[in-house]
Each structure stands twice: as structure tokens, then as C-alpha cells.
Amino acid sequence: MASVIDPERHADLITLQQRVHALFDELDAYTGEDRQGMRERVRQAAAEKEAALYASGLVEEHGYFLASQDLHKAARAASRNTPPDVVQG
């Protein structure tokens, strides 16, 4: 099935998702004292991405699950320079 995320049209969403992925990776590796502050950065980035996803109309048109999953796949694919339909999670 084709992705509901178009890499050119939804580049801003892909960038936001990549930022969330990067911050989660930072949080996983974080060993500092202010872990709560790091969690808050991740939460804010995720909230910004979610708001943009809803504002795009993709959730209304395709449902949250499909839009969200395809966005995750598209962000991973863009990071690897792989077509989104090849990425498996």
C-alpha cells in the first residue's frame, strides 16, 4: 500500500518526526542529572509534531494510526535515503 506521506509535500512533517526520533535517541543515551528536563524537550517536540500532523489534515483524511505510522516510516526512510514503502518499522 502506498504511503499517505508524500516526501516533498510533507517534508516539514518528516523533519519534525526526525527531530523527535533524534531527541528520543538523546534521551536514551542521556546520563546527566536533569533527565526530567530532557524528557520535557522530547515531550515538547512530540507535541509540536502531533499538532502539525493534525493541522496537515492527514489524520482527518486517513485516520491517526495510518498517518502516524506512515510518517514514522517516511522519516526513517528519509534518514536512510530509502523509499518509504521499503522501510519496515
Side-chain angles (χ1 to χ4, degrees), residues 1-5 58 62-72:
M1 184 171 148
S3 176
V4 301
I5 304 294
L58 289 167
H62 302 285
Y64 178 81
F65 182 79
L66 183 60
S68 178
Q69 290 300 305
D70 280 2
L71 179 56
H72 281 281

Side-chain angles (χ1 to χ4, degrees), residues 2 4 17 22 29 31 39-40 47 54 58-59 68:
V4 301
Q17 184 64 63
T31 59
R39 280 190 189 113
E40 181 59 21
Y54 276 93
L58 289 167
V59 172
S68 178

Side-chain angles (χ1 to χ4, degrees), residues 2-74:
S3 176
V4 301
I5 304 294
D6 178 283
E8 292 177 12
R9 186 170 161 214
H10 301 114
D12 56 334
L13 291 174
I14 291 170
T15 299
L16 289 170
Q17 184 64 63
Q18 288 173 320
R19 181 169 172 247
V20 171
H21 286 163
L23 285 170
F24 267 114
D25 289 344
E26 280 184 46
L27 178 61
D28 287 343
Y30 188 73
T31 59
E33 302 256 338
D34 188 22
R35 193 158 173 86
Q36 190 59 35
M38 187 66 199
R39 280 190 189 113
E40 181 59 21
R41 286 180 56 208
V42 174
R43 188 200 66 74
Q44 289 176 0
E48 180 183 356
K49 184 264 308 179
E50 291 293 308
L53 183 60
Y54 276 93
S56 73
L58 289 167
V59 172
E60 185 176 332
E61 187 175 345
H62 302 285
Y64 178 81
F65 182 79
L66 183 60
S68 178
Q69 290 300 305
D70 280 2
L71 179 56
H72 281 281
K73 289 176 186 176

